[in-house]
Amino acid sequence: MKTVVILPGSQWQVPLAKTCKAHGLKTLVIDPHMDAPALACADGGLQSDIFDLERVVRYCQDEHVDAVISDECDIAVPMVAKLGERLSLPALTSECARMYTNKFEMRGFCKAHGFPSPEYKLCRTAEEAEAFFDQLQAPIVMKPLDSCSSRGVFTVFQKEDIGRLFSESLSFSKGERAVLAERYIRGTEFTVDGIKTPGKHYSLAVSEKKHFAHNPNIACDLFFSHKNERFDYERLTRQNDMLVEQSQLDWGLTHAEYKFEDGVFYLIEIGARGGGNLISSHIVPFLSGVNIYQYLLECSLGNVSSPVFHISDQHRKRCAVLHFFDVPKGGGLVSRIDGQELLSGREEIIAHRFNFVPGDVIEQARTDSDRAGFYIACCETEKELLALMEEIRQNVRIVCR
C-alpha cells in the first residue's frame, strides 16, 4: 500500500483525504491541530506546524511516504515543493512555487511575457506606496506578497489612508518584508480553474464574481457557467491557458483571478492549486466532467501523463454557484437561521455551511475566512440555477438582534 501525506488538515482538504482513501492509499495528515477535520477521514497524522520542515521531513521518512499533496491552500504550496525536493518525490519546484505564491514575482513574469498587468511597484515603506499613488493619480490596491484569503489586502482611494493601512498589509507578508502596490482595476472580476499536464493547460471552469458592498476585495457570489453573453470566456480561457503553459508549472491544478477593464482581461493573481471553498473538489468536476483529483494523485505518485481533457456538450450546459451569506445590518447577536431545511433538502445544493450558531455574535467579514457561511448549488441549466438561487434568497435568512 502506498502512503500519501496531506497538508494541512482543514475542512478544504477533507475531499482530498477521502479521495486518497477511496483509492486504497494510506492517508496521513499533518496539521497543528489534532482535531483538524481531514484527520477524521485519514489513517493517522502528525500534530505539527506544517512549516517545521525538519520535523515534517523526518515524519515522512519514518512513514516511507510515496507522495506529498495539498489543494485549495496557497500557503502549503511552497512546503509541498520543499518536501518534494528533500524527499525526491514528484512535486513542483521551489522556484515555480515561489512564482505562483509571490504576487510580485508573478507580476514580473506577466510583464516579461507580454500578459496584461496593472501598473505596480514593490514597496517597503508607506512613503514608497504614497509616491506610487501620486505617480498614478488613481486608486491603488496594497497586497502582502504571499498572503491568502484577502488578508491584508486594501483598496486605497485616498492617499491619507496609506499610512494607516500599510503596516497591517505588511504584517501579512511572510517572506520578504514588502507590499505590492498596484493600480486598482475597475470592472468585473472572474475566476478560472484549470488543470496543467506536461503537454497543455486546460481551463475547465469560469465564474463571474460579485463582491460585498462593504468590502470590494471579498467575494459574495461566484456564478459558474461556460458562456456569458457580456464577456468572451473563450478569449479569457485562451489567455489563461497560454499564461500557464509559458510558466514553469509542469503539472497540477490552477486557480486564477482576472478583472475585465476597457476590453482587457488583467490577471489579478494565480495559484498552483485548485480554488478554495470546495471549488476544485465539487464545482470543477461537475462543470467539466474531469476527475481532477484522480489526475493530481496519479502525478503526485509519479505516474505523470498528458491526457486530453474534453468538456462534453452536456457539461457545457451546466451552471453552478458558490454563494456566501451576508451579515444583516452589519452584524449582531444571532437569534435564528431561517430556511436551513431548504439547504438540506434540495439535491442540487451539494454543500452548505454556517460558521456560527444562534447565540453567537457575528460581524461583517474583513477577510475571505471571516465570511458567515456559504452554499454551493449545481444545476443542469442556467434557468434552473437562477430559480433555485431566488428561492434561497427569499427563504434563507440570518436573523440578528
Side-chain angles (χ1 to χ4, degrees):
M1 178 186 294
K2 291 191 174 183
T3 301
V4 174
V5 159
I6 297 172
L7 66 164
S10 76
Q11 58 181 317
W12 312 125
Q13 280 73 53
V14 168
L16 186 57
K18 289 182 176 179
T19 300
C20 292
K21 287 289 292 178
H23 283 77
L25 301 169
K26 181 180 179 181
T27 304
L28 305 174
V29 171
I30 299 176
D31 194 276
H33 310 288
M34 284 312 294
D35 60 349
L39 270 170
C41 47
D43 297 299
L46 173 68
Q47 184 178 10
S48 172
D49 183 341
I50 67 168
F51 303 112
D52 188 341
L53 180 61
E54 298 306 322
R55 187 180 184 197
V56 172
V57 166
R58 287 195 300 271
Y59 176 75
C60 291
Q61 290 172 334
D62 291 343
E63 294 291 339
H64 305 289
V65 166
D66 298 289
V68 178
I69 193 169
S70 182
D71 187 36
E72 302 196 15
C73 183
D74 264 331
I75 63 172
V77 171
M79 192 63 181
V80 170
K82 291 177 183 178
L83 290 172
E85 291 165 354
R86 287 286 299 271
L87 300 168
S88 298
L89 296 176
L92 76 173
T93 66
S94 287
E95 185 178 359
C96 182
R98 176 176 170 79
M99 189 179 75
Y100 272 92
T101 54
N102 184 295
K103 296 175 177 63
F104 179 67
E105 295 286 338
M106 183 54 74
R107 283 281 175 258
F109 169 82
C110 289
K111 184 176 181 180
H113 290 80
F115 293 103
S117 288
E119 298 89 335
Y120 65 95
K121 181 177 176 59
L122 185 70
C123 300
R124 292 182 171 82
T125 66
E127 289 74 20
E128 289 180 326
E130 289 170 346
F132 181 66
F133 187 96
D134 286 339
Q135 174 189 334
L136 288 181
Q137 290 294 298
I140 65 171
V141 178
M142 295 192 303
K143 304 176 179 180
L145 294 188
D146 52 3
S147 182
C148 60
S149 299
S150 298
R151 295 182 180 93
V153 178
F154 299 105
T155 302
V156 181
F157 295 95
Q158 303 293 331
K159 178 181 173 180
E160 51 266 30
D161 292 333
I162 292 176
R164 175 175 58 87
L165 298 172
F166 186 87
S167 59
E168 183 175 352
S169 185
L170 183 65
S171 70
F172 287 99
S173 285
K174 297 181 290 296
E176 185 178 359
R177 299 292 292 171
V179 165
L180 178 66
E182 59 188 35
R183 180 174 66 85
Y184 173 63
I185 302 294
R186 302 181 185 274
T188 305
E189 187 171 351
F190 306 88
T191 65
V192 186
D193 278 77
I195 190 167
K196 176 67 170 61
T197 74
K200 184 174 170 50
H201 182 265
Y202 298 86
S203 294
L204 301 175
V206 181
S207 82
E208 180 180 347
K209 296 176 74 170
K210 295 180 181 178
H211 297 80
F212 287 118
H214 74 276
N215 191 325
N217 297 310
I218 303 177
C220 64
D221 206 80
L222 284 75
F223 191 92
F224 290 84
S225 62
H226 288 287
K227 289 186 178 180
N228 189 316
E229 293 182 354
R230 294 175 296 122
F231 301 98
D232 188 345
Y233 278 5
E234 289 188 9
R235 179 157 70 93
L236 172 58
T237 56
R238 283 197 305 269
Q239 179 177 325
N240 189 59
D241 291 340
M242 289 175 59
L243 188 151
V244 178
E245 287 168 8
Q246 292 186 41
S247 77
Q248 300 169 333
L249 184 64
D250 189 31
W251 52 265
L253 308 184
T254 63
H255 174 76
E257 298 175 0
Y258 288 85
K259 268 193 167 183
F260 186 79
E261 180 189 70
D262 297 332
V264 177
F265 287 107
Y266 289 90
L267 178 72
I268 301 302
E269 58 185 56
I270 185 169
R273 47 85 180 176
N277 288 96
L278 308 179
I279 292 175
S280 62
S281 59
H282 288 53
I283 295 177
V284 176
F286 175 81
L287 288 172
S288 67
V290 177
N291 191 334
I292 60 174
Y293 275 4
Q294 172 70 39
Y295 183 74
L296 184 63
L297 274 178
E298 288 293 331
C299 291
S300 298
L301 291 166
N303 304 317
V304 180
S305 61
S306 295
V308 175
F309 295 110
H310 173 72
I311 303 176
S312 71
D313 291 341
Q314 180 59 44
H315 283 91
R316 290 189 179 278
K317 297 177 184 177
R318 291 180 169 181
C319 293
V321 68
L322 168 57
H323 176 82
F324 295 93
F325 297 108
D326 202 356
V327 174
K329 301 178 182 178
L333 180 69
V334 178
S335 58
R336 69 181 191 274
I337 306 171
D338 294 337
Q340 291 191 74
E341 66 281 356
L342 171 60
L343 298 176
S344 302
R346 294 291 293 271
E347 64 179 4
E348 301 96 328
I349 302 172
I350 62 173
H352 75 277
R353 176 188 176 93
F354 290 99
N355 298 322
F356 61 88
V357 295
D360 288 347
V361 175
I362 60 175
E363 59 184 17
Q364 289 178 321
R366 297 185 68 245
T367 70
D368 287 353
S369 58
D370 295 333
R371 289 175 289 200
F374 70 93
Y375 73 83
I376 295 174
C378 297
C379 292
E380 294 297 326
T381 67
E382 181 175 350
K383 182 179 179 180
E384 292 171 352
L385 180 58
L386 291 174
L388 177 57
M389 291 173 64
E390 178 61 19
E391 185 179 357
I392 295 171
R393 189 188 68 80
Q394 292 184 11
N395 291 280
V396 178
R397 292 187 180 87
I398 303 168
V399 181
C400 293
R401 66 172 186 269

